[in-house]
Amino acid sequence: MRIKTVRSLGYGPLPDGFQMSLDATGLIPLVGPNEAGKSSLLNLLRALLYKDRRNNVREAEGGRLEVEMDDGTVIHAERRGQRHRVFDAQGRAVAEDEWERKLAADYKVFENVYAFGLGELERGESLDAKTVGARLISAGLGVHVDVVKVESTLQLRARELYAPRGVKPPLNVALADIRRLEDEIARGEAELSRYDALQAELAAVEEQASAASDEERQAAADRKRLADMDRIWERFERLRSVMREQAALSHARDIGPELIARFQRLRDQLEASRTRAAAQEERVLQARLALPAPERLHAFRRPEWVAIMEEAREIPDWKRDIDRHRGAAEELWTQMTAESERLGITPERLAAGMAVRVIEPQMDALHQARADARRNTAEAERALSEAEREVAETDALLDGLREIPRREEWSARRARLEALFARPRPAVDGPWFLWAAAVLLALVGAGLARSFLGAVVDAGAAAAALAGLVLSLMRRSARSHDALSAAGVSSWDRLPAERLYWDELGARVTDREQAEERLARARRAVDGARAVLLEARRQQGTAERAYVEGRAGAELPDLEGPELQHWLSRVDDALHTVSQYRRAREQMADVERTRARFLDRAAAAAVLLHLEVQDTHSPDTWWRLRQEWLDIPTREETLRGQEADAEGARTDALRDARLLAECLQDLDVPDAGAAAARVSEALQYEALAREAMGLQAELSAASHGQGVEAFLPYQDVGLEGALEAQRVRFDEIRAARQERQQQAAVLRQRLSLLETSGELSDLRLQAEARRGEARRLYQRWAAYTLAAQVLQESREHFQRERQPEVLRRASSLFASFTAGRYLHVLAQADSVHDLAVELSDGRRYPVEELSRGTQEQLYLALRLAWIEDREQHAERMPLVLDDILVNADPEREQVMARTLVRFAQNRQVLYLTCHPEIERSLKRAKSRKAVPLASLAGAR
Amino acid sequence: MKPFTFIHAADLHLDSPMLGLGRLEPRVQGRLRDASLEAFDRLIDLTLKTNAAFLAMAGDVFDHETPSLRAQFRLLDGMRRLEQASVPVFWAHGNHDPFGSLSTHVHWPDNVVRFPAGRVSWQRVERAEDILCAVYGISYPTAAVTEPYARQFLREDDAPFAVAVLHANVGGQPGHDNYAPASLGDLRAAGFNYWALGHIHHRGTLSDDPPVVYAGNLQGRHVRETGHKGAYVVEVDAAGRTRLTFAPLGPVRWELLNVDCDGFSGWDQVEEKALAALEPLRPAPHESGVVVRIQLSGRANLPFDADALGDLAERLSSDPERDGPFCFVESIENRTRRPRQGTQPEGLWAEVISRIRGPAYDNWNPAQVRLPLDREAARSEALRLLADALDEVEPDAN
């Protein structure tokens, strides 16, 4: 290509209308002073040849260019501002890319290699020799881009996509994501394999939760039960009190209602019998009183009522004792009540509470000892009671046998009666004075007979005989009478009946003996039982005290120091009060027994006192008694009748007494008073039992059917602790249940998630998508890597093959420029950028060490060498040089001028200069005629 | 014989993820994920709707040997629905769900007949005391079965019609694992009236007499499984003749769309043409969406810009209402080349072209990354990259 004409349409200092015709090859100097438009012409040529936006052309500026291509075609290029147009000789537009292909060098190559000034060279050497070299070499490779930079860019792009040890590049991120997703998928699949185990675990946890729920319900029920129990705790206390009272009356518990009714009936019956017997006795008494005194004396055994009288004299003492015991008992009772109220608790409860706390381990032994002692006492009491009942029964039996004479008396009487009965009844019988009168009469008759019958009969002897006979008879009669009297027989007529009576009485005598013997045994048994009972009670007292002390000690740990001592003293007071109370109750019982005895005895004594008062020998009494005496037969009859009735009544009373005794035996009491007390206790026991039943029903309801047994474990410690423990237990169970349920919920959720969750599917989908993305990134990375690698290999190969030729040409030109000082231009084997030069003596210098002018000459040589090499197969572009020889010394300047002229033989070279010496050098080198720019552009 | 109908399905690949997606959008992720399960539900609906005598599933019911419980329960629900309708299900296990290593945690109802592994067994299908047919089948014990299972099929029944269910590569079709290899002759010689095959995901009939049929998979899983996917409704008349009707069941369809960008120099031109090309591919009424991969071809002066391609894919994807049908462009591949120039490659460019097409890169393995590499595509892309960077033009393919 050569430029035919160039015209300015107003471009920089080049005026509109500036035109230059250059239609020739060879070196054409374009000469002009500063500001003549040399650099503007250079820029205008660039702007006219290339549309490149880097051409800074203002809108009003522009120009036209006519060139002739190597093939002879003429092309026109025109620019107006940023508008660039290329068209052929016929005016047909040529596409920009087609035009650039025709040029075979892009703007950058043209700017650096074809149309450059000293600035480009200077800029190149001052900035970066590598860059300049690379550009030159790139140009040498046949491409118009910076190949090395492309390589770097491709490698950078590849590294931006993936780095083997990188983290942030997207392919690294994608690969990390894939690994993460694969891990999560593996975990999800492992979770799947745990599905069956989870189900089994869920079943187990649900079972545990169910069990915990049941346990919780049970605990709630227990808690409610305890709360209910606590609500009626006072009822339990009452029940305990009742049970203690019952225990105190335990001896009466076996007395059933039938026995009670039987006792009451028998007691009433006995009372009635006794009343009847007493009435009958009264009647007998009256009947006997109606009898003469001896009979009366006989009827009433004086020693008996004397003893009763003696006893009766003690009545005032008894009354005083009663009053004293009652007063003491009431006082003690009052004290105890006050003490208990002051302490706020019952002494028993206090003692019981003490026992459990402190010496609970000892309590079993103490309790056992107390129970043994109580049992021993109860057995002793029962033995005593039995013995006393035996005594009473025997005594009652003896009551009916008191009138029976003892065996000595009966034997004597029976012997006398037998003797009397064996003896012939005396001829005479009568009182001694009758016998005395008969003796007197006999004596008188004997005297008379002696006087009248003296002859015949010795009257005196006869009288004496008669008197003796009478006396004998009288003695016999007297003896007989005495014998009768001694035998207690009033007359011989009554002797058979009396004998019969005494015969019959013999069996009763045996009865009495046996009864007395039995009574003696019973009394000995009573004495023994009392001794045993005393010992048992002593031991029981010891055991009770030990137990009470033990229980008292049980409360000790709650208190300390003075407070403990004070509390202990209070406990002692309470226990003392209890013992006093018990003694008072015993005394009261004694009083009651004494009172009952007194009443019985007093009643009898009152009757006898009345008799004693009346037993005087006043005339009136005697008179009245005489009158009564006359009625003796009748009265005796009446008496016998009354006695029979009395006997019947006694018999009835005895029977009733025996029945009552049997009843008392059944009742296990010594006497009726005790029986009444026992029955009263039994009734009380029964009432307590009913109350206990009611309480037990309440407690059973409150304890939800568990009964009183549910309260027993808490009787000494109360329910508060149990309630709190139950609350804690309930909370624990509920917490455990909730925990189990939460576990079950979590497991169910996990299972449900496993069954319904698309997480695993999502993960697999995400992993697949990520793999797809990674594959694309990998593909892109591979493309960049491959491109960079192939480009590098190609460039290196190309350089190895082509670079020597360029360097050879450059060496030749550079040696010419330097008049043979530098023979070679060298490039490093592994880098085309690091240029060096070699002196004729073989020394080598890197470019950087060359002088400025020499560097410029080297770069010019490289450019020219490359152009020659390139243009073997490409369009020959015009070369535009802007005063590039100014830094050369005159010698080299001339050499370079010649070289340039020679170089311009087949192409167009425009040399712009403002230096006349360079113009002359070019002229001397046979350049074409210089074109004066100033004349073309006109003066400014 | 009594006429009857049965359903032939295969390669359900339940809970299979979509493979090779270039990108994933949350708005379609759920539907892509559930597509195989939804297709299965439609299969059950179809079985009930057609009053089918039985359902034959010719292998690869599950995509994975450890399928998700969600998929297991979905299958169980479907089996129970068929059990309620007294419809037996014949299940021959394939290489994706081998009998021996398939890990499931549910108990299949009595109507499910799972053919034993490695041994052909059969069972009659009766309806109203009429013997309709006998169904034979065999399951894979492990994933890779190289034995010719088809040769084990011998008729032993007295039924008027016999169906063989087999998961196999018949005829050694390329691109598929050659499991249970069989020839068409083997199948014809066995004397069955219908071969219900699985394993090849493209449906097709290898033979008309007797019908040897691949039902294809139920739901396309990647870009090579394009078009409608579903199952065959097989009607058997009184003479034992069969009539096959394809029932599209897949809710999501894959499509590969080529857009010729010859002469284009801007993305706007690409977008306009791609939109026009996408229009006929919009989801059918029975479909919930279409996944499209676009390949740009022709000579165009388009920069090789992955970000621009991603942006364009997003722009081309329809933005449906929630749960509405969607058209999801999962990726755009730029296979265009720069505009042709008159000059022949020279200098360095010629060297580059020569090297990049040379044998030195036939087995090129650039990095130890466990990902497949399409070397030819990498070469093409590298060439395009270099052409862009060196301001050159790719030559025509060799």
Side-chain angles (χ1 to χ4, degrees):
Chain A
M1 176 200 286
R2 61 187 174 90
I3 298 169
K4 290 172 71 80
T5 60
V6 58
R7 180 179 177 181
S8 168
L9 299 175
Y11 182 83
L14 299 175
D16 188 6
F18 167 86
Q19 182 167 333
M20 184 170 60
S21 297
L22 301 168
D23 189 11
T25 56
L27 191 150
I28 304 171
L30 300 176
V31 183
N34 291 336
E35 297 188 0
K38 296 188 295 297
S39 297
S40 296
L41 180 62
L42 180 67
N43 291 331
L44 178 61
L45 285 173
R46 288 172 179 166
L48 289 171
L49 280 171
Y50 292 92
K51 190 187 177 182
D52 195 280
R53 57 184 171 79
R54 283 169 286 192
N55 290 307
N56 188 17
V57 181
R58 286 194 289 273
E59 194 58 35
E61 295 178 337
R64 281 193 190 135
L65 180 69
E66 182 184 10
V67 298
E68 182 182 342
M69 307 302 287
D70 289 349
D71 60 1
T73 58
V74 175
I75 300 293
H76 298 269
E78 183 179 293
R79 177 178 280 276
R80 279 284 184 181
Q82 290 303 313
R83 291 190 301 279
H84 183 258
R85 193 163 68 93
V86 181
F87 50 94
D88 60 13
Q90 289 72 37
R92 293 190 296 261
V94 177
E96 289 291 340
D97 48 354
E98 186 182 353
W99 172 235
E100 289 196 10
R101 278 201 302 277
K102 284 182 182 293
L103 292 177
D106 68 359
Y107 176 80
K108 193 175 285 182
V109 173
F110 185 77
E111 180 187 35
N112 279 287
V113 181
Y114 285 95
F116 57 92
L118 200 59
E120 279 73 22
L121 285 180
E122 288 178 348
R123 188 164 61 244
E125 70 179 344
S126 65
L127 288 176
D128 184 1
K130 289 183 179 178
T131 305
V132 175
R135 285 177 178 170
L136 287 171
I137 295 304
S138 296
L141 293 176
V143 293
H144 51 84
V145 293
D146 186 342
V147 174
V148 176
K149 188 175 180 181
V150 169
E151 284 177 27
S152 300
T153 305
L154 291 170
Q155 288 165 354
L156 178 64
R157 293 284 178 270
R159 283 197 300 275
E160 285 175 352
L161 287 171
Y162 173 69
R165 292 182 182 80
V167 175
K168 291 183 178 177
L171 180 54
N172 292 82
V173 173
L175 291 172
D177 286 351
I178 290 169
R179 283 194 293 274
R180 177 181 57 77
L181 288 165
E182 284 175 346
D183 289 345
E184 290 183 21
I185 288 169
R187 278 198 294 276
E189 289 175 353
E191 187 78 357
L192 279 185
S193 66
R194 288 202 64 231
Y195 180 75
D196 294 338
L198 284 174
Q199 278 194 322
E201 189 179 351
L202 173 62
V205 170
E206 280 181 334
E207 188 176 350
Q208 290 171 359
S210 174
S213 295
D214 293 343
E215 198 176 357
E216 184 182 353
R217 277 193 293 277
Q218 183 59 44
D222 288 348
R223 191 174 64 168
K224 185 175 187 313
R225 179 173 57 78
L226 286 174
D228 291 344
M229 287 164 60
D230 189 55
R231 198 175 59 253
I232 64 163
W233 181 259
E234 75 282 356
R235 307 297 289 158
F236 173 64
E237 294 283 1
R238 173 58 191 158
L239 176 63
R240 291 180 67 199
S241 173
V242 167
M243 290 177 75
R244 279 195 298 273
E245 292 178 32
Q246 275 189 300
L249 298 171
S250 61
H251 52 278
R253 67 185 170 197
D254 296 333
I255 305 175
E258 293 177 358
L259 190 56
I260 292 171
R262 179 180 155 210
F263 166 73
Q264 290 174 334
R265 178 173 54 77
L266 289 174
R267 185 185 59 184
D268 295 344
Q269 187 176 322
L270 178 61
E271 186 66 28
S273 298
R274 281 181 171 168
T275 304
R276 280 199 308 274
Q280 197 59 38
E281 289 289 344
E282 181 66 24
R283 282 193 288 275
V284 170
L285 178 65
Q286 292 302 324
R288 284 178 176 167
L289 287 174
L291 290 173
E295 298 299 330
R296 199 188 314 162
L297 292 175
H298 174 72
F300 298 101
R301 292 177 301 281
R302 189 173 182 83
E304 178 70 16
W305 60 264
V306 165
I308 293 172
M309 285 299 296
E310 290 296 327
E311 201 172 28
R313 288 193 185 94
E314 295 176 6
I315 286 173
D317 295 332
W318 296 348
K319 287 182 178 177
R320 280 195 299 276
D321 285 341
I322 289 168
D323 293 337
R324 182 168 54 81
H325 288 313
R326 180 178 287 122
E330 287 175 354
E331 184 181 356
L332 288 174
W333 179 259
T334 305
Q335 288 176 359
M336 188 208 72
T337 306
E339 189 69 17
S340 298
E341 287 176 356
R342 185 172 57 79
L343 291 172
I345 48 175
T346 61
E348 290 85 350
R349 172 152 173 72
L350 194 59
M354 292 156 57
V356 176
R357 283 300 189 84
V358 172
I359 51 169
E360 192 169 11
Q362 305 173 16
M363 286 309 294
D364 288 338
L366 292 172
H367 184 272
Q368 186 60 38
R370 188 184 68 167
D372 292 339
R374 281 182 174 177
R375 188 172 60 253
N376 292 338
T377 303
E379 287 175 1
E381 284 177 347
R382 191 160 50 250
L384 176 61
S385 174
E386 199 170 352
E388 286 178 340
R389 188 176 66 249
E390 178 70 16
V391 168
E393 186 178 340
T394 311
D395 204 25
L397 186 63
L398 271 174
D399 278 345
L401 298 171
R402 297 288 184 203
E403 295 174 2
I404 304 302
R406 296 184 187 280
R407 180 161 294 279
E408 296 82 8
E409 183 184 358
W410 176 79
S411 297
R413 287 284 294 274
R414 182 68 179 82
R416 279 196 289 273
L417 286 171
E418 198 63 33
L420 283 174
F421 199 71
R423 185 183 296 175
R425 183 173 180 170
V428 293
D429 196 7
W432 63 274
F433 52 86
L434 291 177
W435 286 102
V439 169
L440 187 56
L441 286 173
L443 288 173
V444 170
L448 288 172
R450 189 174 181 183
S451 16
F452 293 107
L453 297 172
V456 180
V457 178
D458 189 358
L466 182 58
L469 178 62
V470 169
L471 285 173
S472 174
L473 287 170
M474 283 177 65
R475 283 196 295 271
R476 288 180 61 185
S477 177
R479 285 198 296 271
S480 174
H481 192 265
D482 289 338
L484 281 174
S485 297
V489 180
S490 57
S491 63
W492 284 100
D493 295 337
R494 289 184 60 87
L495 184 60
E498 197 70 24
R499 184 188 173 212
L500 184 60
Y501 169 74
W502 280 95
D503 282 341
E504 290 174 357
L505 202 59
R508 304 290 299 277
V509 167
T510 303
D511 290 342
R512 174 171 179 165
E513 284 178 335
Q514 291 175 348
E516 284 178 334
E517 190 178 353
R518 182 180 166 192
L519 180 62
R521 282 200 308 273
R523 281 180 174 155
R524 284 195 299 275
V526 165
D527 291 337
R530 277 182 179 151
V532 171
L533 179 59
L534 279 174
E535 178 61 21
R537 279 180 175 163
R538 189 185 62 76
Q539 291 178 354
Q540 184 187 350
T542 303
E544 292 281 355
R545 279 193 299 279
Y547 185 76
V548 167
E549 286 169 3
R551 296 186 67 126
E555 291 281 340
L556 288 177
D558 286 345
L559 299 170
E560 289 179 0
E563 193 179 358
L564 171 64
Q565 295 304 322
H566 174 71
W567 185 81
L568 282 174
S569 69
R570 292 296 87 204
V571 172
D572 291 338
D573 290 348
L575 295 175
H576 179 66
T577 305
V578 171
S579 63
Q580 283 182 320
Y581 168 69
R582 285 178 178 155
R583 279 202 301 277
R585 286 190 64 176
E586 290 170 2
Q587 287 174 345
M588 285 294 288
D590 289 340
V591 167
E592 287 300 317
R593 282 193 293 273
T594 304
R595 185 181 64 80
R597 188 160 163 255
F598 160 73
L599 287 175
D600 290 341
R601 297 296 184 185
V607 172
L608 293 174
L609 282 172
H610 176 68
L611 287 176
E612 190 178 39
V613 169
Q614 289 186 345
D615 193 17
T616 57
H617 296 281
S618 65
D620 292 340
T621 304
W622 279 109
W623 180 252
R624 184 173 54 80
L625 289 174
R626 185 175 177 281
Q627 291 301 320
E628 290 175 354
W629 191 269
L630 293 177
D631 294 333
I632 282 176
T634 307
R635 291 183 181 182
E636 281 182 344
E637 187 65 28
T638 304
L639 176 60
R640 281 192 291 275
Q642 294 294 346
E643 282 177 340
D645 291 344
E647 183 63 23
R650 274 198 304 273
T651 304
D652 290 345
L654 278 174
R655 183 202 64 212
D656 292 343
R658 189 172 62 251
L659 291 173
L660 184 60
E662 290 173 1
C663 184
L664 293 178
Q665 189 172 5
D666 293 342
L667 282 169
D668 196 19
V669 291
D671 53 30
R678 193 76 178 276
V679 166
S680 172
E681 288 171 346
L683 291 172
Q684 189 180 350
Y685 184 89
E686 195 175 337
L688 289 170
R690 282 195 298 274
E691 184 180 359
M693 281 181 65
L695 288 169
Q696 283 173 343
E698 284 184 54
L699 296 174
S700 180
S703 63
H704 300 188
Q706 290 194 9
V708 181
E709 289 73 14
F711 289 80
L712 294 179
Y714 315 107
Q715 58 182 343
D716 296 326
V717 295
L719 270 167
E720 290 80 4
L723 260 173
E724 179 61 21
Q726 186 62 26
R727 187 190 64 75
V728 172
R729 179 171 171 266
F730 176 77
D731 290 344
E732 289 173 353
I733 292 171
R734 183 169 57 183
R737 189 259 303 160
Q738 288 173 343
E739 186 182 351
R740 291 289 177 274
Q741 287 180 339
Q742 285 172 356
Q743 286 177 355
V746 169
L747 284 171
R748 274 195 291 271
Q749 191 176 8
R750 280 182 70 183
L751 285 168
S752 175
L753 272 176
L754 282 174
E755 290 165 5
T756 60
S757 171
E759 188 178 355
L760 186 58
S761 310
D762 275 335
L763 287 171
R764 285 173 174 164
L765 181 62
Q766 289 173 11
E768 278 304 321
R770 213 70 180 105
R771 281 193 198 98
E773 190 178 345
R775 276 197 291 271
R776 281 172 176 72
L777 290 167
Y778 183 45
Q779 201 73 34
R780 284 173 57 196
W781 173 83
Y784 277 113
T785 304
L786 179 61
Q789 189 170 330
V790 166
L791 183 59
Q792 183 181 357
E793 290 174 358
S794 302
R795 174 181 53 75
E796 289 173 355
H797 172 76
F798 196 78
Q799 284 172 354
R800 280 195 303 274
E801 296 298 322
R802 299 288 297 277
Q803 185 173 289
E805 177 61 21
V806 173
L807 290 178
R808 188 190 60 75
R809 290 173 186 270
S811 298
S812 174
L813 287 170
F814 190 46
S816 174
F817 289 164
T818 59
R821 176 178 173 77
Y822 298 100
L823 292 181
H824 299 290
V825 178
L826 304 170
Q828 299 290 340
D830 56 346
S831 171
V832 298
H833 311 305
D834 297 331
L835 291 171
V837 293
E838 188 178 80
L839 289 168
S840 57
D841 58 4
R843 288 178 295 162
R844 293 184 179 184
Y845 295 99
V847 172
E848 289 80 4
E849 293 184 10
L850 299 177
S851 69
R852 184 176 184 179
T854 306
Q855 284 188 25
E856 291 171 1
Q857 291 148 23
L858 170 63
Y859 291 133
L860 179 63
L862 281 169
R863 279 174 168 80
L864 297 180
W866 178 80
I867 289 170
E868 282 184 344
D869 183 75
R870 180 185 178 279
E871 289 185 350
Q872 290 177 15
H873 305 289
E875 185 77 23
R876 285 176 292 188
M877 297 284 284
L879 192 62
V880 185
L881 308 172
D882 187 4
D883 235 353
I884 59 168
L885 303 178
V886 293
N887 291 325
D889 58 42
E891 187 178 350
R892 290 190 181 179
E893 178 187 292
Q894 192 58 51
V895 173
M896 291 174 73
R898 284 199 296 271
T899 303
L900 286 173
V901 170
R902 192 169 52 251
F903 183 79
Q905 283 178 352
N906 297 320
R907 60 172 55 80
Q908 193 176 46
V909 177
L910 306 181
Y911 190 93
L912 302 170
T913 181
C914 61
H915 299 286
E917 62 272 19
I918 292 179
E919 181 187 354
R920 285 192 293 273
S921 293
L922 292 171
K923 188 176 180 181
R924 281 196 295 275
K926 309 291 186 190
S927 69
R928 287 190 178 271
K929 185 181 179 182
V931 176
L933 279 177
S935 62
L936 293 173
R940 290 201 179 178
Chain B
M1 63 176 288
K2 291 278 184 181
F4 65 97
T5 301
F6 69 92
I7 305 296
H8 170 200
D11 299 288
L12 280 67
H13 287 274
L14 292 179
D15 212 19
S16 166
M18 296 295 182
L19 306 176
L21 285 172
R23 66 194 183 95
L24 194 56
E25 284 189 6
R27 66 191 180 94
V28 298
Q29 177 175 336
R31 284 189 278 176
L32 295 182
R33 182 195 66 196
D34 293 340
S36 63
L37 302 178
E38 192 177 340
F40 170 73
D41 290 344
R42 293 179 178 186
L43 173 66
I44 299 301
D45 294 340
L46 175 72
T47 307
L48 295 173
K49 184 179 175 183
T50 55
N51 193 26
F54 63 90
L55 166 64
M57 300 192 297
D60 288 357
V61 172
F62 285 118
D63 184 59
H64 204 280
E65 291 182 10
T66 55
S68 70
L69 279 171
R70 193 174 66 114
Q72 295 177 40
F73 277 94
R74 199 69 165 259
L75 180 63
L76 179 65
D77 291 343
M79 296 299 105
R80 284 176 175 162
R81 286 176 63 196
L82 296 181
E83 183 190 30
Q84 288 174 356
S86 301
V87 177
V89 179
F90 295 96
W91 177 358
H93 292 258
N95 56 304
H96 274 262
D97 57 349
F99 198 101
S101 52
L102 178 65
S103 172
T104 58
H105 301 272
V106 296
H107 297 94
W108 305 110
D110 292 339
N111 65 320
V112 177
V113 178
R114 298 168 69 192
F115 290 116
R119 176 173 61 83
V120 172
S121 73
W122 64 278
Q123 188 166 323
R124 286 189 188 87
V125 178
E126 301 175 359
R127 179 177 280 178
E129 300 182 354
D130 292 325
I131 298 175
L132 298 182
C133 73
V135 182
Y136 291 67
I138 187 170
S139 289
Y140 283 27
T142 56
V145 170
T146 55
E147 299 167 39
Y149 275 176
R151 294 179 189 170
Q152 292 190 31
F153 281 79
L154 291 173
R155 281 199 66 172
E156 302 170 350
D157 61 277
D158 55 354
F161 197 89
V163 176
V165 185
L166 177 63
H167 192 80
N169 186 346
V170 177
Q173 297 194 36
H176 300 85
D177 294 322
N178 196 20
Y179 293 145
S183 69
L184 201 54
D186 293 337
L187 273 52
R188 282 176 174 154
F192 286 86
N193 301 99
Y194 185 94
W195 279 90
L197 301 178
H199 187 50
I200 306 299
H201 289 188
H202 292 289
R203 67 178 178 277
T205 303
L206 304 184
S207 163
D208 291 329
D209 186 21
V212 179
V213 181
Y214 277 112
N217 54 348
L218 216 54
Q219 164 63 52
R221 297 187 302 151
H222 49 75
V223 74
R224 293 189 302 280
E225 296 176 352
T226 56
H228 295 289
K229 297 289 183 177
Y232 277 116
V233 179
V234 184
E235 296 170 276
V236 182
D237 63 15
R241 291 187 297 267
T242 56
R243 188 164 74 91
L244 276 68
T245 307
F246 175 73
L249 300 174
V252 176
R253 175 163 41 91
W254 276 85
E255 292 293 349
L256 180 62
L257 178 63
N258 180 62
V259 176
D260 187 359
C261 300
D262 209 41
F264 289 180
S265 58
W267 290 114
D268 56 334
Q269 295 168 295
V270 178
E271 181 180 12
E272 186 179 351
K273 187 160 186 179
L275 280 173
L278 281 170
E279 197 55 38
L281 302 179
R282 298 287 174 193
H286 73 277
E287 292 175 319
S288 59
V290 177
V291 179
V292 183
R293 179 173 295 176
I294 294 176
Q295 289 180 341
L296 307 181
S297 63
R299 289 196 175 270
N301 198 13
L302 296 171
F304 187 89
D305 188 338
D307 294 337
L309 293 174
D311 292 343
L312 183 61
E314 275 188 43
R315 285 175 59 83
L316 291 174
S317 295
S318 62
D319 191 13
E321 295 179 359
R322 187 180 182 82
D323 300 329
F326 64 86
C327 181
F328 174 58
V329 178
E330 56 94 22
S331 67
I332 299 177
E333 293 177 355
N334 185 6
R335 297 191 174 183
T336 62
R337 289 178 293 169
R338 289 168 66 82
R340 188 179 288 113
Q341 289 184 339
T343 56
Q344 288 297 314
E346 61 167 337
L348 180 70
W349 183 234
E351 180 71 23
V352 165
I353 293 170
S354 168
R355 282 184 173 275
I356 211 164
R357 287 180 173 171
Y361 293 99
D362 286 348
N363 297 310
W364 183 58
N365 191 20
Q368 297 298 321
V369 177
R370 289 185 306 151
L371 290 170
L373 176 67
D374 185 343
R375 290 188 178 82
E376 286 308 312
R379 283 172 163 174
S380 299
E381 287 178 18
L383 199 56
R384 181 177 177 81
L385 283 170
L386 288 168
D388 277 349
L390 300 175
D391 199 13
E392 294 289 352
V393 176
E394 303 118 285
D396 292 329
N398 290 337

